[in-house]
Amino acid sequence: IAIAGNVDAGKSTLLSVLTTGKQDNGRGSARLSVFNFPHEVVSGRTSSIGHQILGYNNQGKVMNYSGNRVLHWPEIVRNSSKVVSFYDLAGHEKYLKTTIFGLSSSRPDMCMIMVGANRGIMRMTREHIFLCKTLDIPFCIVITKIDMVKECSNVLEETLQSITNLMKKPGIRRIPIKIHSEDDIVRCAMHIHSKTIVPIFSVSNTTLEGIPYLHKFLNMLPKRQIDHENI
């Protein structure tokens, strides 16, 4: 799974919350565990391709941590029946070449495109969506920071509307499906590789709202069948 989206959309923070189970403090404390370089910690921005794994057992339980202890990769792999590999890509325009390299070289089964609820669709968000379309990579949209717009529901509605409008444009033409129940998750997991739908998740890294739905979807997501003869 590749993780893309505009800078400051919460990509590294979400990846850390998924893999460690620890809430963010609202100021990016969670993302410190997934950065590769000291300058990324200082700037708070990813400039390289980060790599993390997430393990699930046969009941769909996350195997990355036990209590407050985050397990090492060999332990995660040993205890899991399914392992998801993540590529955390850079969101800043300055590192667009790095993001293109990450998407084109890793051939991910899916790309998660982050959209900040407080900022909506940005220029780099559109770039990453069209990159997925061009490279024939299925994608879903994850709206982050929904806790920041609780008092302003119209902001979240505007963000959802802008995503819906973008999905229906001639260059994309996908059916946006807002995830509200487990039935929605099952339907989207079954049809994500048909490239006709785009699941839309709403999550908060500070309150963990929506994170269980995302875990369930990732656990159910089937591997993409690639026709190697046509590569």
Side-chain angles (χ1 to χ4, degrees), residues 8-182:
D8 297 333
K11 297 182 295 298
S12 300
T13 304
L14 178 69
L15 179 56
S16 179
V17 169
L18 286 173
T19 55
T20 67
K22 294 176 182 174
Q23 293 170 255
D24 184 54
N25 66 354
R27 296 186 297 278
S29 64
R31 67 189 176 196
L32 300 179
S33 65
V34 297
F35 280 149
N36 290 325
F37 299 107
H39 69 264
E40 294 179 322
V41 175
V42 173
S43 67
R45 291 175 176 174
T46 303
S47 60
S48 59
I49 299 172
H51 186 200
Q52 297 290 326
I53 65 170
L54 180 58
Y56 297 100
N57 67 6
N58 52 15
Q59 273 91 42
K61 184 186 173 190
V62 180
M63 304 307 292
N64 280 49
Y65 40 84
S66 176
N68 290 324
R69 188 173 79 90
V70 178
L71 305 182
H72 297 296
W73 284 21
E75 292 177 279
I76 297 169
V77 173
R78 190 165 56 246
N79 297 335
S80 303
S81 57
K82 177 176 184 174
V83 176
V84 181
S85 293
F86 289 99
Y87 292 93
D88 184 18
L89 306 175
H92 200 281
E93 187 172 355
K94 182 174 160 185
Y95 307 115
L96 182 58
K97 283 185 181 177
T98 306
T99 300
I100 293 171
F101 172 75
L103 278 174
S104 57
S105 63
S106 60
R107 292 194 68 84
D109 293 313
M110 191 190 72
C111 182
M112 289 164 56
I113 302 206
M114 306 288 148
V115 177
N118 57 332
R119 300 180 75 190
I121 294 279
M122 308 291 282
R123 181 168 163 243
M124 290 311 295
T125 316
R126 295 173 191 272
E127 292 279 359
H128 292 165
I129 288 172
F130 281 106
L131 261 174
C132 288
K133 186 76 169 62
T134 305
L135 295 169
D136 209 25
I137 299 169
F139 63 92
C140 71
I141 305 285
V142 180
I143 301 174
T144 60
K145 306 184 182 183
I146 59 171
D147 53 284
M148 291 177 68
V149 296
K150 281 290 183 192
E151 305 299 318
C152 316
S153 57
N154 61 309
V155 176
L156 182 57
E157 284 304 316
E158 285 171 18
T159 299
L160 281 164
Q161 193 56 51
S162 64
I163 293 169
T164 302
N165 293 343
L166 181 60
M167 292 304 110
K168 292 179 178 177
K169 286 199 170 179
I172 302 176
R173 291 205 185 281
R174 303 276 172 99
I175 302 165
I177 299 177
K178 296 169 193 170
I179 303 297
H180 294 300
S181 67
E182 293 194 5

